[in-house]
Amino acid sequence: MASTKETYRVELRAAARQLGERGLYSAAKWAAELLVGIDPDGTPAPSAPMDTPSSSGSAASGGRLLHLHRSGGSSFRRRLRPGGGASEAGTPLGGVSYVSTPIPDDDAFDVGADKYLLAKTYFDCREYRRAAHVLRGQAGRRAVFLRCYALYIAGEKRKEEETIEHEGSLGKSNAVNQELVALERELSTHRRTGAIDSFGLYLYGIVLRDKDCEGLARTVLVESVNSYPWNWSAWLELQSLCTSSDILNNLNLKNHWMKDFFLASAHLELKMHEEALKRYERLMRFFRCSDYIQAQIATVQYSMRDLDEADMIFEELLRTDPFRVDSMDVYSNLLYAKESSTALSFLAHRVFLTDKYRPESCCIIANYYSLKGQHEKSVLYFQRALKLNRKYLSAWTLMGHEFVELKNTPAAIDAYRRAVDINPRDYRAWYGLGQIYEMMGMPFYALYYFRKSSCLQPNDARLWNAMAQCYESDQLQMIEEAIKCYERSANSNDTEGIALHQLAKLHGMLGQSEEAAFYYKKDLERMEVEERQGQNFVEALLFLAKHCRNIGRFEEAELYCTKLLDYTGPEKETAKSILQGLKRAQSGYPSMDIDHFAM
């Protein structure tokens, strides 16, 4: 077990150095953070094979409808959550047999070393075309990668400049990276001749993705991660191309411990929350001090609507790393859902002082202003986030919500459409489009978008409730379809209780009194447990009193009427009339028209 952890350390140290030398700074940072996250003390508890089924924690619920998305010695780090089994001591992480994947040797520095050093310096100074020019004619694999990578970034930079020049910082544009054609030709030649390394394959995969050759891009990226599995950026690019579980399961990946990180992240992206949580909990057995894994577990808990558990983990992350900005935008969505204005204000102030020009920081500040009801300022900060990163998915979606609050329907539709263009699997944007068309009195259009949303997030009760309300609309009046949707909602942990109450009302409208009574009783039990009282509570009592009276269950009817006497209004008088009728019926006197008095 100790030797396994030492292997991870050696591999990650080398990976962080090599990735940094090639300008892949995000992947280098990830590797270095994971290196520090390896548990330095003691031996972790043995873990079950990663693919072995086991139980895991369940989800609670909470949050608001509008924002559907929105330290080392801690108890969390020491505690191992449910779901981990035991196996033989010394079983490798994930239960895999590790394939020997040698760390690639760098090109010899005695040939073109000085030019490479100069080109890397230009690259670090963001003079990309100068870096590529210095390396012209260099045949070493590392030099070829840096030259092609510099050209790709230079092309992306020019594409962004053209977009701003013609359409503004947030406008749509048909500008393309002019370097893609030449890069594809060169890299494909190197791949055919075998004169390309894993980093060149990674870049080739990105080029193919940008040219919409997704199938070949997946194949090339798989070759890259199989050859050099420590490049987390390559795994993320591969993940973005796995739009379904079938595609994910058909990838021909070698068994390596980095594969476990990829599968956990891919499961989270595909909304396979239980599977993602199991994998991250097992990874924590070796990487107990990893802030990355804790942040991912918190994100999973937030996605599963377990807001309190996620809140606890995020708080601990901020205590151990007070200048952290990564994943804090997710935390701000959580605080928004919980309406924790004080905590959100503190978080916004902290990230503002840490790095106010990070897209995540702008998004957090925007959420803060949104919670305060200052929607114009919120839109301003979302726009700032998008100027820094035009592909920042959450900012487009949340900005759409703000435009809804401001009654700016065209801008809201545009924001949501930009979000689904970036990621067609963003159920929140599809839901937002459905809301817009529902508000515009166009239920057929709304249903289309709500269906898209529910297909991506089938266990979210709020989506089924929204679809059911469309079916109930005056234009459609499709009551049977609405009932089916409310039934799905009730089976998906509808914490707001909308589904049970509506099921009872709709069955009552159809004259199905037994079914209506069943749902009214369930709704009444829910409200009693949650200690909620209101008009729905009174309505349920009144219906059940009449129903029990009509079928001869007088004692139950009397119980419901007695509870109604505690309320004021016409329901109290109706309850008195029903009780009088019950007494007459029980005493043997001729029954009067009780329904006449009950109305």
Side-chain angles (χ1 to χ4, degrees):
M1 189 73 69
S3 62
T4 301
K5 290 197 292 183
E6 187 58 32
T7 300
Y8 298 160
R9 290 192 183 97
V10 171
E11 293 180 1
L12 287 170
R13 282 193 196 104
R17 176 179 60 83
Q18 292 176 332
L19 291 164
E21 289 175 353
R22 285 165 173 78
L24 301 174
Y25 301 119
S26 178
K29 175 182 131 180
W30 189 89
E33 288 180 344
L34 200 62
L35 171 64
V36 176
I38 298 175
D39 184 15
D41 302 318
T43 301
S47 64
M50 188 67 72
D51 295 323
T52 302
S54 61
S55 61
S56 65
S58 61
S61 60
R64 292 173 51 184
L65 181 60
L66 184 60
H67 270 240
L68 271 128
H69 23 283
R70 278 200 219 263
S71 69
S74 71
S75 59
F76 178 80
R77 293 183 194 270
R78 293 195 301 269
R79 174 167 56 93
L80 291 177
R81 294 172 50 80
S87 64
E88 298 81 358
T91 300
L93 180 63
V96 300
S97 55
Y98 291 99
V99 174
S100 176
T101 310
I103 296 174
D105 294 329
D106 293 336
D107 296 324
F109 267 97
D110 57 347
V111 180
D114 295 340
K115 287 190 175 182
Y116 183 88
L117 182 60
L118 176 60
K120 182 61 167 57
T121 304
Y122 286 150
F123 185 92
D124 291 342
C125 293
R126 301 184 180 182
E127 298 182 51
Y128 302 116
R129 294 200 181 276
R130 291 188 76 186
H133 180 73
V134 167
L135 292 174
R136 70 192 187 284
Q138 297 292 314
R141 293 182 178 183
R142 187 169 61 166
V144 168
F145 168 74
L146 186 60
R147 178 173 55 78
C148 292
Y149 191 38
L151 286 173
Y152 175 80
I153 296 179
E156 287 294 297
K157 183 180 177 182
R158 182 57 192 151
K159 182 180 77 171
E160 190 72 16
E161 291 168 352
E162 289 180 4
T163 299
I164 294 173
E165 290 167 1
H166 293 98
E167 303 293 340
S169 58
L170 298 182
K172 291 185 177 180
S173 173
N174 295 323
V176 296
N177 187 333
Q178 298 296 332
E179 303 293 337
L180 292 181
V181 175
L183 286 173
E184 181 187 15
R185 186 185 306 116
E186 179 177 354
L187 292 171
S188 63
T189 301
H190 287 317
R191 179 171 175 250
R192 283 196 305 270
T193 60
I196 193 171
D197 63 2
S198 57
F199 299 103
L201 289 169
Y202 159 63
L203 179 58
Y204 186 30
I206 293 176
V207 171
L208 291 169
R209 177 209 63 192
D210 289 351
K211 291 179 68 65
D212 295 326
C213 303
E214 294 189 357
L216 182 56
R218 276 193 296 269
T219 301
V220 170
L221 287 168
V222 167
E223 292 177 15
S224 176
V225 297
N226 282 342
S227 174
Y228 186 87
W230 302 279
N231 183 1
W232 183 240
S233 295
W235 288 106
L236 289 179
E237 292 296 341
L238 181 59
Q239 174 185 300
S240 69
L241 298 173
C242 296
T243 54
S244 70
S245 57
D246 290 337
I247 293 175
L248 180 65
N249 295 332
N250 289 328
L251 295 177
N252 186 23
L253 297 171
K254 290 182 180 179
N255 285 329
H256 188 277
W257 56 269
M258 283 291 293
K259 177 183 174 183
D260 296 329
F261 281 94
F262 165 70
L263 291 176
S265 180
H267 286 150
L268 174 57
E269 180 68 20
L270 293 173
K271 307 298 185 295
M272 301 167 66
H273 299 133
E274 293 290 342
E275 293 83 350
L277 189 59
K278 291 176 186 178
R279 290 185 178 276
Y280 280 127
E281 287 172 348
R282 285 170 172 77
L283 286 166
M284 278 293 289
R285 297 175 182 274
F286 280 87
F287 299 90
R288 286 174 183 254
C289 301
S290 171
D291 287 349
Y292 165 78
I293 297 179
Q294 290 196 70
Q296 290 295 94
I297 290 177
T299 303
V300 174
Q301 298 287 6
Y302 167 68
S303 299
M304 295 170 65
R305 313 301 297 162
D306 192 351
L307 302 185
D308 292 334
E309 178 75 9
D311 193 0
M312 180 191 74
I313 301 172
F314 277 125
E315 283 184 2
E316 178 61 23
L317 279 173
L318 279 179
R319 278 194 291 270
T320 58
D321 188 1
F323 302 104
R324 181 186 184 89
V325 179
D326 294 337
S327 303
M328 289 300 105
D329 53 338
V330 179
Y331 186 31
S332 73
N333 291 339
L334 182 153
L335 294 175
Y336 186 103
K338 294 181 70 174
E339 300 185 29
S340 301
S341 58
T342 303
L344 184 53
S345 173
F346 177 75
L347 179 62
H349 183 70
R350 172 176 284 184
V351 298
F352 180 84
L353 294 178
T354 300
D355 189 350
K356 65 179 180 180
Y357 292 117
R358 280 276 294 271
E360 296 90 343
S361 299
C362 294
C363 187
I364 292 167
I365 297 170
N367 273 341
Y368 165 70
Y369 281 120
S370 177
L371 189 58
K372 290 182 65 178
Q374 300 181 25
H375 301 293
E376 294 87 353
K377 279 191 174 182
S378 180
V379 167
L380 176 64
Y381 274 95
F382 281 130
Q383 289 174 339
R384 288 184 182 179
L386 290 166
K387 288 178 182 178
L388 294 166
N389 181 2
R390 292 166 56 86
K391 293 186 178 181
Y392 190 9
L393 178 63
S394 292
W396 283 114
T397 304
L398 296 177
M399 188 168 68
H401 293 336
E402 298 309 305
F403 282 129
V404 171
E405 293 289 344
L406 294 170
K407 305 296 189 293
N408 189 342
T409 301
I413 291 176
D414 180 67
Y416 289 137
R417 291 196 183 279
R418 297 288 288 274
V420 297
D421 286 343
I422 295 170
N423 184 1
R425 296 190 59 80
D426 182 18
Y427 77 95
R428 304 165 301 176
W430 290 114
Y431 171 81
L433 285 168
Q435 274 192 315
I436 291 289
Y437 284 105
E438 184 181 25
M439 292 165 54
M440 294 170 63
M442 303 169 70
F444 281 108
Y445 285 92
L447 273 175
Y448 170 79
Y449 294 114
F450 285 144
R451 285 197 191 103
K452 296 278 288 187
S453 182
S454 61
C455 287
L456 295 170
Q457 190 81 348
N459 296 322
D460 195 322
R462 296 164 297 178
L463 307 182
W464 292 107
N465 287 339
M467 203 182 309
Q469 289 164 8
C470 279
Y471 282 122
E472 283 186 88
S473 64
D474 294 336
Q475 296 98 314
L476 300 186
Q477 285 293 306
M478 300 171 67
I479 303 301
E480 293 292 342
E481 296 299 322
I483 287 175
K484 291 178 183 178
C485 291
Y486 282 128
E487 287 174 347
R488 287 291 300 270
S489 174
N491 293 330
S492 299
N493 192 23
D494 176 29
T495 56
E496 298 176 1
I498 295 175
L500 290 175
H501 182 73
Q502 290 300 113
L503 282 169
K505 288 185 65 174
L506 293 179
H507 281 295
M509 289 172 53
L510 296 175
Q512 301 168 350
S513 57
E514 285 294 333
E515 290 82 356
F518 171 78
Y519 287 112
Y520 270 125
K521 191 169 184 179
K522 289 189 69 173
D523 194 31
L524 191 65
E525 292 170 352
R526 179 192 62 82
M527 289 185 284
E528 288 176 342
V529 169
E530 297 175 1
E531 297 182 351
R532 293 186 184 181
Q533 293 188 4
Q535 186 57 39
N536 289 355
F537 192 85
V538 172
E539 183 179 329
L541 288 174
L542 187 59
F543 182 91
L544 289 170
K546 293 180 179 179
H547 176 73
C548 291
R549 185 247 358 243
N550 293 338
I551 63 176
R553 288 154 58 176
F554 296 145
E555 291 184 2
E556 284 189 52
E558 185 175 350
L559 176 63
Y560 293 127
C561 288
T562 303
K563 291 182 179 180
L564 279 170
L565 296 178
D566 295 333
Y567 295 87
T568 57
E571 293 84 3
K572 182 176 181 179
E573 299 303 319
T574 303
K576 287 181 180 179
S577 299
I578 294 175
L579 284 172
Q580 291 174 2
L582 291 174
K583 289 179 181 178
R584 293 191 191 94
Q586 291 172 335
S587 62
Y589 285 98
S591 176
M592 299 181 67
D593 187 358
I594 299 176
D595 282 332
H596 171 75
F597 294 97
M599 295 302 291

